[in-house]
Amino acid sequence: MNRALHRLDLNLLVTLQILLSERSVTRAAKRLSVTPSAVSKSLTKLRHWFDDPLLVRSPQGLLPTPLALALAEELAELFQLASSIVAKRNVEVPKGVEFQLMLESPFYLELLPELPGLIDAHFPDSVVRIRNWDYDSLDAIISGKADLGLSGRESHPGSRETLALLPAAVDYEVLFSDEPLVYLRKDHPALQQVWSLETFLEYRQINIEWEKCEGWALDSLLAEKGLKRDIALSVSLFEQSLWLASQPGSQLLTTAPGYCRTYAARTCPELVTRPLPMVAEDRKKLTILFTLMWHKRNSHNPKLRWLKETIRRQLEQRLSL
């Protein structure tokens, strides 16, 4: 069979990529604005060209063959390169671009509030979907369900959240480092005592369950000293912990990133902050590295390059205030 590239309609590869994404002829047809019959005909041509079924019907939808799975990665790289080439023409910015972002909360609320508006101004009629960073976010980046992630990564060498343990497929860029602080009410009795590790551990605390893990680097450091916090509550968001700590009569402490100070000042003005009462060497191990993360296949994606540069610029402006 003559399989010279010039004999292959490259539009068929677009159809194949969408079929691999949707696993449905009907949904693929809707995305392509064509009839299901047209998509089926294209799939027949693709099967003939590759001499492989490519997608097989099943109760779960169309399932890719091993060859189709191998092609999926190649197609992603091909179309990223094609997008980069097209972008060099200085033609009109495409409309209706979709963004899938996994961003730590309240990080983006506090430091990137203008981001959705900037995206819409640059990409008319864009659709921006922001999801809170969670346990599944790295998998979403690797699978292509998310374009970009932004979250804190721990510095403690024993943590499972260090940059060194990121999957090989993920590229990253550290934007800035932050030091966690203790947040407590202005009338908290701990403020009448010498602020020390003993005082900090004397009071019950609100914990953040981060990526399905109850403890974090602070707990690891305390365990090395034979110590531990007395956890009264465990929640999933920093906003929740700050709000609970701010309630009248609360004697609970909570720990959150330093950037949350401005968020707390605006939403929970009853709170004040104190540094973690630990020696400098230990505090250094608790440094949080706020990091952009994306799949390596998107390194040259024009949309992602613009987005990363815009985030950098916005953070520089915010952090300089």
Side-chain angles (χ1 to χ4, degrees), residues 178-184 195 200 205-206 208 216 218 229 238 241-242 253-262 264 271-277 283 286-288:
D178 194 20
E179 184 173 315
L181 298 173
V182 180
Y183 293 76
L184 65 170
W195 185 244
F200 172 68
Q205 305 199 9
I206 305 169
I208 306 298
W216 61 292
L218 172 61
R229 297 183 295 157
F238 291 120
S241 70
L242 294 170
L253 306 176
T254 193
T255 306
Y259 77 78
C260 289
R261 277 178 298 188
T262 52
L271 294 179
V272 295
T273 62
R274 290 292 182 271
L276 279 166
R283 286 205 307 271
L286 298 177
T287 299
I288 304 297

Side-chain angles (χ1 to χ4, degrees), residues 13-288:
L13 297 182
V14 177
T15 301
L16 178 57
Q17 186 187 45
I18 292 176
L19 277 168
L20 288 167
S21 172
E22 297 293 341
R23 308 292 174 87
S24 163
V25 168
T26 301
R27 291 196 297 269
K30 186 175 181 180
R31 280 185 59 181
L32 290 164
S33 299
V34 298
T35 66
S37 175
V39 173
S40 294
K41 290 177 181 178
S42 295
L43 181 54
T44 298
K45 293 178 181 178
L46 286 161
R47 286 167 169 165
H48 178 71
W49 175 266
F50 289 103
D51 193 21
D52 187 89
L54 296 177
L55 292 147
V56 180
R57 294 188 184 279
S58 78
Q60 292 76 40
L62 295 175
L63 295 181
T65 65
L67 175 61
L69 289 174
L71 288 170
E73 186 78 16
E74 302 295 334
L75 287 173
E77 294 179 3
L78 173 64
F79 287 115
Q80 295 296 348
L81 178 59
S83 297
S84 180
I85 292 171
V86 170
K88 297 182 185 301
R89 294 182 54 213
N90 289 325
V91 296
E92 183 180 357
V93 174
K95 295 184 178 181
V97 176
E98 293 189 5
F99 290 81
Q100 304 277 352
L101 309 178
M102 312 298 287
L103 308 179
E104 179 178 312
S105 174
F107 184 96
Y108 67 90
L109 299 174
E110 194 59 33
L111 296 178
L112 297 172
E114 302 94 347
L115 184 61
L118 292 170
I119 292 174
D120 186 63
H122 190 80
F123 295 92
D125 302 322
S126 59
V127 177
V128 182
R129 296 183 178 88
I130 297 177
R131 301 288 182 268
N132 191 42
W133 182 271
D134 60 23
Y135 180 77
D136 297 318
S137 295
L138 276 177
D139 286 341
I141 291 172
I142 293 170
S143 68
K145 294 179 181 178
D147 297 310
L148 189 74
L150 197 162
S151 179
R153 309 303 292 179
E154 294 184 352
S155 298
H156 189 279
S159 171
R160 65 188 181 105
E161 306 299 335
T162 62
L163 293 174
L165 294 180
L166 284 175
V170 175
D171 265 348
Y172 66 88
E173 175 185 345
V174 176
L175 298 173
F176 73 100
S177 60
D178 194 20
E179 184 173 315
L181 298 173
V182 180
Y183 293 76
L184 65 170
R185 280 184 59 87
K186 295 175 180 177
D187 56 1
H188 197 289
L191 298 177
Q192 305 304 315
Q193 303 172 238
V194 174
W195 185 244
S196 64
L197 186 57
E198 290 74 17
T199 301
F200 172 68
L201 295 176
E202 178 182 336
Y203 294 92
R204 305 198 77 194
Q205 305 199 9
I206 305 169
N207 185 54
I208 306 298
E209 184 177 332
W210 188 252
E211 296 195 7
K212 296 186 179 180
C213 184
E214 288 282 352
W216 61 292
L218 172 61
D219 297 293
S220 298
L221 275 175
L222 290 174
E224 292 169 8
K225 304 174 188 299
L227 303 170
K228 68 175 183 177
R229 297 183 295 157
D230 182 5
I231 303 300
L233 286 169
S234 185
V235 296
S236 58
L237 297 174
F238 291 120
E239 298 99 302
Q240 295 168 332
S241 70
L242 294 170
W243 184 82
L244 289 166
S246 73
Q247 296 308 294
S250 173
Q251 292 191 14
L252 297 173
L253 306 176
T254 193
T255 306
Y259 77 78
C260 289
R261 277 178 298 188
T262 52
Y263 175 84
R266 189 175 68 256
T267 60
C268 305
E270 302 84 4
L271 294 179
V272 295
T273 62
R274 290 292 182 271
L276 279 166
M278 309 183 84
V279 298
E281 181 181 353
D282 284 343
R283 286 205 307 271
K284 184 177 181 180
K285 294 178 182 177
L286 298 177
T287 299
I288 304 297

